[in-house]
Amino acid sequence: MQPELLSNPKFESLRRIKIGVVRGGFSAERPISLRSGRAVTRALKRVGVSAFPIDPVDRKTFSQKIRKADILFIALHGKGGEDGVLQKALEQKRLLFTGSPSSACAKSFDKEVSKRHFGKLGVPTPEYAILDKKNWRKVAEAFPAPYFAKPLDGGSSQGVFLVEDFQGSAEKLRRSVLRLGRLLIEKKIVGRELTAGLLGNLRLPVVEVKPSRSFYDYKAKYTKGMTIYEVPARIPAKVAKKIQAIAYRVYRGLGLKGFSRVDVMLDRKNRPYVLEVNSIPGLTEFSLLPKAARAVGISFEELCLRVLRDAFEQTGKK
Ligand SMILES: Nc1ncnc2c1ncn2[C@@H]1O[C@H](COP(=O)(O)OP(=O)(O)O)[C@@H](O)[C@H]1O
Ligand SMILES: [Mg+2]
């Protein structure tokens, strides 16, 4: 419990206001969003901020409820929450919300669009190709294995799989492309998996994830004990600084605000490659961004207040 947090002058603007925590939603990441939303609501209540949950699925009450809040804390993940669609609607209604503006969400959510932006920003990212219903066999067969296949608009590792050799995975690739229309394939980077969080302008310590499975898949992400987390990552200080700088370049370059998390692979020669950026990272108390914040003395409650304060300061700028 940290009720004293609200008496800190930096959070003065947050006294006596009502927060609508938007969570749940329509995407495949709904269960995770419900967990994030619950953690945020509880944390805000613990510090004496009035907060109530809102679910976009309740179409009838949604538009009334969002008007009852002074600020909306968006704890949605995936389509409809992280892709800028909701943000755009809120911007048009001139409602205040946490995190990034719609344009930045759209740039970071689609993995092909974001990889193009990484290229323009000089941010290293693994080689890739896009499969569609027509070209998939030719392109996937020619692409040097091993590689990862992933949906362009996924999250939580859903739909992500490793292709060790084309023949062995041809059927899986075919089914994925037919279902999704398009699929990203990306060179597998062999090395360590890291993630770098940003909180406002603060570069949080780099975290290493060590899954006990072949990669950081859904099971490894959400089953207790399946992944070891090193906070901060045990990597040379110079490498950590470089990764933080790359993550910040992505954050600034895409126009992200409030918070974000950049997923990175580090190859055996300590060369970093950015996989993706999450404009609304997981917000359960066990999620990666909160872990990184805690390592520099920022409690989960304070993290939520900082994100809200940033939203407040963005008034009129979105
Ligand atoms: N190019 C790659 N090289 C090595 N591992 C990868 C690569 N792409 C994805 N992965 C693995 O798959 C996981 C999910 O991929 P990611 O691009 O972060 O998608 P999501 O949006 O679902 O989190 C990563 O955390 C990592 O473990
Ligand atoms: Mg990821």
Side-chain angles (χ1 to χ4, degrees):
M1 284 277 242
Q2 299 179 299
E4 72 284 358
L5 261 180
L6 259 201
S7 31
N8 187 325
K10 17 181 220 194
F11 299 123
E12 206 175 335
S13 55
L14 302 178
R15 287 176 214 161
R16 288 180 297 279
I17 62 166
K18 265 199 294 233
I19 311 300
V21 179
V22 188
R23 90 284 185 261
F26 297 91
S27 86
E29 288 181 271
R30 176 179 174 83
I32 313 304
S33 167
L34 288 173
R35 278 161 68 170
S36 287
R38 194 176 311 129
V40 170
T41 310
R42 284 188 182 158
L44 292 176
K45 286 186 176 164
R46 279 201 295 276
V47 292
V49 174
S50 144
F52 64 97
I54 307 178
D55 195 333
V57 162
D58 303 327
R59 286 185 197 268
K60 278 193 191 144
T61 53
F62 184 69
S63 53
Q64 295 157 359
K65 280 195 174 168
I66 54 173
R67 293 193 182 277
K68 289 200 177 124
D70 299 302
I71 307 182
L72 295 164
F73 194 119
I74 307 184
L76 293 167
H77 309 303
K79 244 189 247 181
E82 219 173 333
D83 56 5
V85 172
L86 175 67
Q87 287 80 357
K88 180 124 207 173
L90 298 176
E91 283 158 6
Q92 282 162 352
K93 292 187 205 308
R94 301 195 178 280
L95 294 177
L96 220 53
F97 60 90
T98 56
S100 301
S102 61
S103 54
C105 289
K107 283 179 198 161
S108 49
F109 187 62
D110 182 296
K111 289 190 169 72
E112 184 189 10
V113 175
S114 62
K115 278 172 86 82
R116 273 204 231 115
H117 282 282
F118 299 158
K120 278 188 219 156
L121 294 167
V123 165
T125 185
E127 271 172 54
Y128 70 104
I130 304 290
L131 309 184
D132 62 30
K133 289 180 187 174
K134 273 193 186 154
N135 74 6
W136 74 271
R137 182 174 292 276
K138 209 169 130 199
V139 176
E141 197 163 13
F143 199 85
Y147 54 81
F148 274 88
K150 34 186 148 170
L152 297 177
D153 57 359
S156 287
S157 298
Q158 295 182 58
V160 177
F161 58 94
L162 178 62
V163 175
E164 302 272 14
D165 68 289
F166 171 75
Q167 289 308 337
S169 297
E171 184 48 25
K172 205 166 177 184
L173 285 164
R174 189 185 69 87
R175 267 189 274 123
S176 274
V177 178
L178 291 186
R179 187 165 53 88
L180 299 167
R182 302 174 82 223
L183 198 64
L184 173 77
I185 57 172
E186 182 179 79
K187 182 181 168 192
K188 178 185 177 184
I189 304 297
V190 179
R192 300 163 81 171
E193 175 153 4
L194 308 165
T195 192
L198 289 311
L199 181 59
N201 281 328
L202 188 65
R203 302 168 196 202
L204 294 175
V206 176
V207 175
E208 178 171 9
V209 297
K210 295 177 168 173
S212 58
R213 297 167 63 78
S214 71
F215 71 98
Y216 196 34
D217 64 1
Y218 190 88
K219 226 174 181 177
K221 279 182 181 173
Y222 303 114
T223 317
K224 226 178 172 175
M226 274 217 176
T227 298
I228 294 168
Y229 301 92
E230 301 273 6
V231 196
R234 291 184 201 157
I235 50 176
K238 230 173 125 183
V239 178
K241 266 222 153 76
K242 186 172 176 188
I243 290 166
Q244 286 176 312
I246 288 176
Y248 194 65
R249 203 186 311 159
V250 169
Y251 183 71
R252 291 301 297 259
L254 266 54
L256 291 155
K257 296 273 189 296
F259 58 177
S260 281
R261 220 194 65 228
V262 179
D263 292 346
V264 178
M265 291 297 305
L266 192 66
D267 76 3
R268 295 241 162 89
K269 291 185 175 156
N270 277 350
R271 287 178 302 208
Y273 295 88
V274 171
L275 296 183
E276 60 145 356
V277 52
N278 300 285
S279 62
I280 309 182
L283 292 169
T284 70
E285 304 200 26
F286 309 101
S287 302
L288 298 167
L289 185 93
K291 269 193 217 300
R294 212 169 300 129
V296 287
I298 299 174
S299 65
F300 187 66
E301 290 84 352
E302 181 172 352
L303 186 159
C304 294
L305 292 184
R306 281 178 179 243
V307 170
L308 281 171
R309 185 194 52 192
D310 270 19
F312 221 85
E313 287 170 359
Q314 290 298 315
T315 315
K317 291 187 203 160
K318 276 186 179 159

